Amino acid sequence: MSRDDTPYKTYLAEDELPCAWYNMRADMAQKPAPLLNPATLEPVTAEELERVFCTELVKQELDDTTPYVPIPDEVMRFYRMFRPSPLVRAYFLEKALGTPARIYYKFEGNNTSGSHKLNSAVAQAYYAKKQGLKGVTTETGAGQWGTALSMACAFFGLDCQVYMVKCSYEQKPFRREVMRTYGARVTPSPSMLTEAGRRINAEHPGTTGSLGCAISEAVEAAVSQEGYRYVLGSVLAQVLLHQSIIGLEAKAAFDKIGDSPDVVIGCAGGGSNLGGLIAPFMGEKLRGECDRRFVAVEPASCPSFTRGRYAYDFCDTAKVCPLQKMYTLGSGFMPSANHAGGLRYHGMSATLSELYSQKAMEAVAVEQTSVFEAARMFARTEGILPAPESSHAIRATIDEALRCKSEGREECILFGLTGTGYFDMTAYQKFNDGEMSDTVPTDAELEANFAQLPKV
Amino acid sequence: MSRDDTPYKTYLAEDELPCAWYNMRADMAQKPAPLLNPATLEPVTAEELERVFCTELVKQELDDTTPYVPIPDEVMRFYRMFRPSPLVRAYFLEKALGTPARIYYKFEGNNTSGSHKLNSAVAQAYYAKKQGLKGVTTETGAGQWGTALSMACAFFGLDCQVYMVKCSYEQKPFRREVMRTYGARVTPSPSMLTEAGRRINAEHPGTTGSLGCAISEAVEAAVSQEGYRYVLGSVLAQVLLHQSIIGLEAKAAFDKIGDSPDVVIGCAGGGSNLGGLIAPFMGEKLRGECDRRFVAVEPASCPSFTRGRYAYDFCDTAKVCPLQKMYTLGSGFMPSANHAGGLRYHGMSATLSELYSQKAMEAVAVEQTSVFEAARMFARTEGILPAPESSHAIRATIDEALRCKSEGREECILFGLTGTGYFDMTAYQKFNDGEMSDTVPTDAELEANFAQLPKV
């Protein structure tokens, strides 16, 4: 097709919105490995999971054969509040790079949670409400997930208890305040409200927390309160299922304008955005209908795919969650300071891990100063100030577009612009002031953590 | 039409975007009074204005007869980056209020400047670039305008110097950082860089500044640097012209869905949003094609319309700008602390002032605690965290919708949702903590300021 006749932004009409989520696992010949009970090391049962998670969500978690799951009407109603998100043609960025590549991004940041996280938060809150629960507990790192869940719980009238990694709680008071405006109770983690928190505080006085630790607290809070369950914003297969709305909408928009991506790029923390964005495109590849590349982008400071091990590991610090086979840096891995809080998790989605191990997907690790250079260029050309997490995908996209330029190839690149950076200005300030640095773990550090992997 | 068959969000297609701005003054029988030279008190000439403002913008400022001004291609290109904005049907708010009214809002907050300000910033930066200028200077209060101008200048390759009211500079470091990311130089006002700033600092040691003072500094900086002009984000007729894109798009969307507003509501600081939103709807009324109500909403702490005088007054503290006939509280009026920084200006658009004096428009003043109650309700039902300024319009809309409920009337209400509140979380925190209060000026305070109005 001609390079210049696609619209700047493509919005689906409301009656063109996908009405079912797509379960990528259904098309995988080799399925992701099952979750294991941390006590018995046997595959975890639905009954065991239902003590922690909502019943319907457990069903979705364990179902790796049903390809399409209808989106409930009440979730569709909420989706219409902030969806469809636009598929944007990055004409300005293309011009600035002088690339023959066509660059598109699916922009998920135009909602008050500031990211794609709302897609799964709505679904999870809906199922919790439908089950008759009083409320849900969760953890949040950078705060996008906690904000999204607060919004969803306010809508469905559920109590929302958020354990927020202490350093984020302190560095991002405004994110906390958005959650409070939506009625959530936000507690800095590790707290003194849970056994897990008290133990971590005793063992590591003055610690500013970690996602793994906040997960432990939130799970404990869920199982110790009547009428509560725990919900999680990434990593799990159910989350990727809900997030498939990103890719499904993107694919429908591409079909509408008559284009199709050769490369799909997304940042990868736990995998919620990447798994959702690539879903239908990967489905085509898995079914042998077409070939294309998929690129996961992770921070060099937390390189789960590019330097991790594919092994069973714990998802949380207190080791109360099921074990998952995934690319991992070890549950004790503490990433160095990095401003992409949403990408600082030691593990990775089991589905994506399996796809990566099958070489259906590639991965690159990028350093944060080069990420912020890309972010600034994108902000100035495309007019959107991106979240640090999303900017990892921008970095890789620019690199791919420059490769296309040097090779003279007119490829079509799609990347996920997961969110906006309005609550990340401390990071931008560091970058603007020239005070941002890069650190990567040493091989010795990684080996020490690998040595602690559970023997399964 | 049936209540429930309009879409949640209506987006115009790119080829449906308005391609000319609408100049409301062309349809006014009684035009706004001319600007006066502050030294001579004679109507200001184009030549005098061109020392301060860009040439093409002066032409637009003084032209009160041409109804439509074509939008330049380069501005249209930039508009496509963030426009069209959606016309949203507030189904969730309607349901929460149990009102028979149909509520719509035109949402201008989904761009990185966070507000409608970008509509005029792009136009002004374009004309400055076209004139061959090196850069522009401006002031900013809450920071939306400064951010918008920074984005526009980055796009067109212009230097951007922003004088930011000192209390905002200190309270909103993140807004400042967004401007810096776009390459702007941001200076807290009053500064020691200008004569005006040094004088104000000497006369009022420790002052945290005001918009009037920052305007004086920015104007001085423009006229004292070769190749610079001053640009302003509100009040002026040229700004209302550019902002008419809001109303034109809204009207086109209403035509598309077959509805039409009975009441149009907008917050009013200097009038940029309100004047732009109402433009084509007021045009119809001025031409006698239909009748409908228009409601300006202002803070009770800065009640220019509802308690001000319609008189010639200075636009800035140092009295270097032209005098304008407008509703004013006096250029020496210092509004009490209010979190809607964008509404704390002593004066008002001359065009809107004339319309209000002709009773073509109504005005209401609302107190900020009731504004934040409305904001919280809106955030929880409609999923968008509104800016404090915009929330003034939400307050009035809720009040109108409740009136419709008590009167059993199915009116159609349109309001302007000018921006998002992501950089206003300090205000939300005060509200969430129950620490927000209301203050209104006493009659004696206002009279003392009215006594200082220039004798024209």
Side-chain angles (χ1 to χ4, degrees):
Chain A
M1 67 177 297
S2 159
R3 287 209 47 179
D4 284 326
D5 60 3
T6 63
Y8 283 69
K9 296 195 279 311
T10 303
Y11 284 101
L12 299 178
E14 273 165 27
D15 57 8
E16 294 171 324
L17 287 182
C19 53
W21 293 303
Y22 168 62
N23 183 4
M24 199 159 40
R25 292 171 296 170
D27 283 311
M28 291 171 70
Q30 173 75 37
K31 311 284 184 192
L35 298 170
L36 301 186
N37 181 317
T40 64
L41 299 186
E42 292 296 316
V44 72
T45 64
E47 198 180 359
E48 286 164 347
L49 283 173
E50 284 168 17
R51 287 177 212 142
V52 177
F53 297 100
C54 301
T55 307
E56 188 66 27
L57 293 166
V58 168
K59 206 176 130 200
Q60 294 179 353
E61 190 66 31
L62 299 179
D63 179 356
D64 57 10
T65 55
T66 307
Y68 287 97
V69 178
I71 304 175
D73 284 349
E74 288 201 57
V75 175
M76 280 305 293
R77 253 176 87 78
F78 195 110
Y79 274 179
R80 288 203 183 88
M81 193 191 277
F82 69 103
R83 308 206 67 83
S85 73
L87 178 72
V88 187
R89 175 76 184 268
Y91 279 118
F92 299 102
L93 180 63
E94 289 173 14
K95 190 176 167 203
L97 295 171
T99 178
R102 299 189 301 287
I103 305 175
Y104 293 86
Y105 54 95
K106 182 72 172 159
F107 179 35
E108 293 289 314
N110 266 351
N111 70 72
T112 288
S113 82
S115 82
H116 66 291
K117 293 285 183 179
L118 199 50
N119 298 326
S120 184
V122 180
Q124 297 196 44
Y126 165 75
Y127 290 119
K129 184 69 181 180
K130 197 177 156 211
Q131 194 176 330
L133 298 177
K134 284 186 211 159
V136 292
T137 71
T138 198
E139 77 296 326
T140 197
Q144 285 101 331
W145 168 246
T147 309
L149 189 66
S150 305
M151 292 176 67
C153 285
F155 187 81
F156 288 112
L158 281 170
D159 184 40
C160 180
Q161 301 176 1
V162 181
Y163 288 83
M164 187 171 185
V165 177
K166 195 180 274 177
C167 65
S168 289
Y169 183 92
E170 286 162 1
Q171 281 173 10
K172 299 195 175 185
F174 294 167
R175 189 73 88 173
R176 177 185 80 205
E177 218 51 49
V178 178
M179 292 185 248
R180 285 186 67 211
T181 302
Y182 281 94
R185 191 188 80 182
V186 188
T187 305
S189 167
S191 74
M192 298 305 276
L193 297 181
T194 66
E195 192 59 44
R198 287 188 291 270
R199 195 169 57 241
I200 294 160
N201 271 316
E203 284 171 12
H204 306 279
T207 177
T208 55
S210 71
L211 261 186
C213 160
I215 294 174
S216 302
E217 287 209 275
V219 170
E220 184 185 328
V223 298
S224 61
Q225 292 176 89
E226 184 68 31
Y228 281 75
R229 288 295 185 283
Y230 166 70
V231 297
L232 180 63
S234 191
V235 182
L236 296 176
Q238 61 189 263
V239 178
L240 269 67
L241 175 72
H242 308 146
Q243 295 295 355
S244 69
I245 189 76
I246 305 173
L248 291 164
E249 273 190 12
K251 186 162 182 325
F254 269 118
D255 290 346
K256 200 169 171 174
I257 59 176
D259 206 349
S260 175
D262 299 304
V263 194
V264 184
I265 299 173
C267 61
S272 68
N273 150 68
L274 181 65
L277 175 70
I278 68 172
F281 301 106
M282 179 64 86
E284 290 184 326
K285 179 167 174 167
L286 292 171
R287 295 190 301 270
E289 295 164 13
C290 76
D291 194 28
R292 52 169 67 96
R293 293 171 56 218
F294 297 90
V295 183
V297 193
E298 59 187 14
S301 59
C302 193
S304 315
F305 271 136
T306 52
R307 296 176 67 196
R309 290 278 168 83
Y310 191 33
Y312 267 104
D313 195 9
F314 297 101
C315 292
D316 66 320
T317 308
K319 306 179 179 179
V320 296
C321 291
L323 273 80
Q324 180 172 276
K325 189 176 179 193
M326 58 185 175
Y327 280 86
T328 178
L329 299 165
S331 64
F333 177 74
M334 283 301 211
S336 65
N338 179 293
H339 291 288
L343 305 182
R344 297 181 70 223
Y345 184 62
H346 68 276
M348 183 56 66
S349 147
T351 306
L352 295 182
S353 293
E354 180 55 33
L355 288 168
Y356 182 65
S357 88
Q358 293 174 16
K359 303 203 190 313
M361 188 170 74
E362 310 161 34
V364 292
V366 292
E367 299 200 326
Q368 69 172 346
T369 50
S370 76
V371 164
F372 274 83
E373 279 162 16
R376 182 170 61 189
M377 179 179 196
F378 186 80
R380 291 187 182 183
T381 53
E382 288 288 320
I384 296 173
L385 189 90
E389 291 82 358
S390 324
S391 303
H392 284 68
I394 298 174
R395 174 74 269 163
T397 296
I398 290 176
D399 294 343
E400 289 284 337
L402 292 175
R403 175 190 57 73
C404 288
K405 184 181 183 178
S406 72
E407 296 176 0
R409 295 172 67 93
E410 296 189 9
E411 292 181 19
C412 176
I413 304 173
L414 165 66
F415 77 90
L417 186 66
T418 53
T420 50
Y422 308 140
F423 292 95
D424 301 286
M425 293 318 298
T426 307
Y428 274 94
Q429 183 169 5
K430 273 218 154 66
F431 177 71
N432 290 336
D433 289 339
E435 290 170 3
M436 184 173 277
S437 60
D438 297 309
T439 43
V440 296
T442 63
D443 287 339
E445 269 176 79
L446 294 183
E447 288 301 329
N449 277 289
F450 295 147
Q452 303 298 316
L453 285 171
K455 309 285 176 278
V456 179
Chain B
M1 69 176 297
S2 158
R3 289 208 44 175
D4 285 326
D5 59 5
T6 63
Y8 283 71
K9 295 195 279 314
T10 303
Y11 285 100
L12 299 176
E14 273 164 28
D15 56 9
E16 295 171 322
L17 286 183
C19 52
W21 293 303
Y22 168 62
N23 182 4
M24 199 160 38
R25 292 171 296 171
D27 282 311
M28 291 171 72
Q30 172 75 39
K31 310 285 186 193
L35 297 170
L36 301 185
N37 181 316
T40 64
L41 300 186
E42 292 296 316
V44 75
T45 65
E47 200 181 356
E48 287 165 346
L49 283 173
E50 285 168 15
R51 287 180 212 140
V52 178
F53 298 99
C54 301
T55 307
E56 188 66 26
L57 292 167
V58 169
K59 205 176 130 199
Q60 294 179 353
E61 189 66 29
L62 299 178
D63 180 356
D64 57 11
T65 55
T66 306
Y68 287 96
V69 178
I71 304 174
D73 285 349
E74 287 201 59
V75 175
M76 280 304 294
R77 252 177 87 79
F78 195 110
Y79 275 180
R80 288 204 183 88
M81 193 191 276
F82 70 101
R83 307 204 67 82
S85 73
L87 178 71
V88 187
R89 174 78 183 268
Y91 280 118
F92 298 103
L93 180 62
E94 289 173 15
K95 190 176 167 204
L97 295 170
T99 179
R102 300 189 299 287
I103 304 175
Y104 293 87
Y105 54 94
K106 181 71 172 161
F107 180 36
E108 292 289 315
N110 265 352
N111 69 73
T112 288
S113 81
S115 82
H116 66 293
K117 295 285 184 181
L118 198 51
N119 298 324
S120 185
V122 180
Q124 297 196 45
Y126 165 75
Y127 289 120
K129 184 68 182 179
K130 197 179 156 206
Q131 194 177 330
L133 298 177
K134 282 187 211 158
V136 291
T137 70
T138 199
E139 78 296 327
T140 197
Q144 285 100 332
W145 168 246
T147 309
L149 190 67
S150 305
M151 291 175 67
C153 286
F155 186 80
F156 288 112
L158 283 169
D159 185 39
C160 181
Q161 301 177 359
V162 181
Y163 289 83
M164 187 172 185
V165 176
K166 196 180 273 177
C167 67
S168 289
Y169 183 91
E170 287 162 1
Q171 282 173 11
K172 299 194 175 186
F174 293 168
R175 187 76 86 175
R176 179 185 79 207
E177 217 52 49
V178 178
M179 293 184 248
R180 286 185 69 211
T181 301
Y182 281 94
R185 190 188 81 182
V186 188
T187 306
S189 168
S191 75
M192 299 304 277
L193 297 182
T194 68
E195 193 58 45
R198 288 188 290 272
R199 195 168 57 240
I200 294 161
N201 271 318
E203 284 171 13
H204 305 279
T207 177
T208 54
S210 71
L211 261 185
C213 160
I215 294 175
S216 302
E217 288 209 274
V219 170
E220 184 184 327
V223 298
S224 61
Q225 293 177 90
E226 185 67 31
Y228 280 76
R229 290 295 185 281
Y230 166 69
V231 297
L232 179 62
S234 192
V235 181
L236 296 176
Q238 60 189 261
V239 178
L240 268 66
L241 176 72
H242 308 146
Q243 294 295 355
S244 70
I245 189 76
I246 305 172
L248 291 163
E249 273 189 14
K251 188 163 178 328
F254 269 118
D255 290 347
K256 200 169 172 175
I257 58 176
D259 207 348
S260 176
D262 300 302
V263 193
V264 184
I265 299 173
C267 61
S272 68
N273 149 67
L274 181 65
L277 175 70
I278 69 172
F281 301 106
M282 179 64 86
E284 290 185 324
K285 179 167 173 167
L286 292 170
R287 294 190 301 271
E289 295 165 12
C290 74
D291 193 30
R292 51 168 68 97
R293 294 170 55 217
F294 297 92
V295 183
V297 192
E298 59 188 15
S301 59
C302 193
S304 315
F305 272 136
T306 52
R307 297 177 67 196
R309 290 277 168 83
Y310 190 34
Y312 268 105
D313 196 7
F314 297 102
C315 292
D316 65 320
T317 309
K319 306 179 180 179
V320 297
C321 292
L323 273 78
Q324 179 171 279
K325 189 175 179 194
M326 58 184 174
Y327 280 86
T328 178
L329 299 166
S331 64
F333 177 75
M334 284 300 212
S336 65
N338 179 292
H339 292 288
L343 305 182
R344 297 182 70 223
Y345 184 62
H346 69 276
M348 183 57 65
S349 147
T351 305
L352 295 182
S353 293
E354 181 54 33
L355 289 169
Y356 182 63
S357 88
Q358 293 174 15
K359 303 204 190 315
M361 187 170 74
E362 309 160 36
V364 292
V366 292
E367 299 200 324
Q368 70 172 346
T369 49
S370 75
V371 164
F372 275 83
E373 280 162 17
R376 182 169 61 190
M377 182 182 194
F378 186 80
R380 292 187 182 183
T381 53
E382 288 288 321
I384 296 173
L385 190 88
E389 292 82 358
S390 325
S391 304
H392 285 67
I394 298 174
R395 173 75 269 165
T397 297
I398 290 176
D399 293 343
E400 290 284 337
L402 292 176
R403 175 188 58 72
C404 288
K405 184 180 183 179
S406 71
E407 296 176 358
R409 294 172 66 94
E410 294 188 10
E411 292 179 19
C412 175
I413 304 173
L414 166 65
F415 76 91
L417 185 67
T418 54
T420 49
Y422 308 141
F423 293 94
D424 302 286
M425 294 318 298
T426 307
Y428 274 94
Q429 183 168 6
K430 272 216 156 59
F431 176 71
N432 291 337
D433 289 339
E435 288 169 4
M436 182 172 280
S437 60
D438 297 308
T439 44
V440 296
T442 63
D443 287 338
E445 268 178 80
L446 293 183
E447 287 303 328
N449 276 290
F450 294 149
Q452 304 297 316
L453 286 171
K455 308 286 176 278
V456 179

